[in-house]
Amino acid sequence: MAAAWGASLTAAALRAVTPWRRSRLLAASAGPRAHRDASSSSPQADEGQVHLTDSCVQRLLEITQGPEFLRLEVEGGGCSGFQYKFSLDTVLSPDDRVFEQGGARVVVDSDSLAFVKGAQVDFCQELIRSSFQVLNNPQAQTGCSCGSSFSVKL
């Protein structure tokens, strides 16, 4: 899993050690930084958007080729009820929303968008892992202590 790999791996090395192309699980976590400050833009105006941080854009440009993009999905599970799932993909579905910044793309299906609208996608590098994470999710009420799942506001 990419979360356990060092940040110094190049895109070619990442591809060489990842046997399954289409649905590579990169990492999923709300992480301890989930309460970091959001961008300065108004949350009201950006409610239906998913924002990409500079580190997310930079990492995606390093690991994607051609039509590849980062897919963000929300699925049931984890300690708190829902969990984030990240994978590299090349196929767009009719209900997908594409969020692009600086040539990097994150795609969210309409069902998952209801759970992450207004959130940020970040790439975090820590001593024990490097991973994509969802930060400042206005739809999340609480998360579990491990940071990989969340419950939604009702």
Side-chain angles (χ1 to χ4, degrees):
M1 191 174 351
W5 294 330
S8 64
L9 285 178
T10 65
L14 179 62
R15 292 180 195 296
V17 296
T18 307
W20 11 274
R21 271 301 276 155
R22 235 184 121 237
S23 180
R24 287 179 279 178
L25 180 64
L26 296 175
S29 174
R33 299 182 191 177
H35 299 292
R36 194 165 74 183
D37 291 336
S39 65
S40 60
S41 57
S42 163
Q44 302 291 342
D46 300 331
E47 191 173 296
Q49 299 292 314
V50 173
H51 306 281
L52 312 182
T53 64
D54 292 340
S55 61
C56 174
V57 170
Q58 179 181 351
R59 185 63 178 152
L60 283 174
L61 293 176
E62 292 171 357
I63 66 171
T64 58
Q65 292 180 346
E68 281 185 318
F69 53 82
L70 181 68
R71 179 173 293 282
L72 167 58
E73 297 174 283
V74 174
E75 53 187 29
C79 325
S80 298
F82 294 95
Q83 59 191 3
Y84 303 111
K85 179 182 174 187
F86 291 95
S87 60
L88 289 182
D89 200 350
T90 58
V91 179
L92 285 171
S93 299
D95 71 332
D96 284 341
R97 287 273 313 268
V98 178
F99 302 96
E100 186 169 351
Q101 181 178 324
R105 296 185 303 161
V106 173
V107 173
V108 183
D109 64 87
S110 61
D111 292 335
S112 296
L113 184 60
F115 296 102
V116 296
K117 61 185 176 182
Q120 287 181 308
V121 178
D122 190 23
F123 182 74
C124 297
Q125 295 179 334
E126 301 168 350
L127 289 176
I128 60 171
R129 68 177 171 186
S130 298
S131 62
F132 288 100
Q133 299 180 351
V134 174
L135 304 178
N136 304 313
N137 185 353
Q139 310 311 315
Q141 181 173 354
T142 60
C144 66
S145 62
C146 68
S148 63
S149 66
F150 68 100
S151 63
V152 295
K153 292 180 182 176
L154 299 177

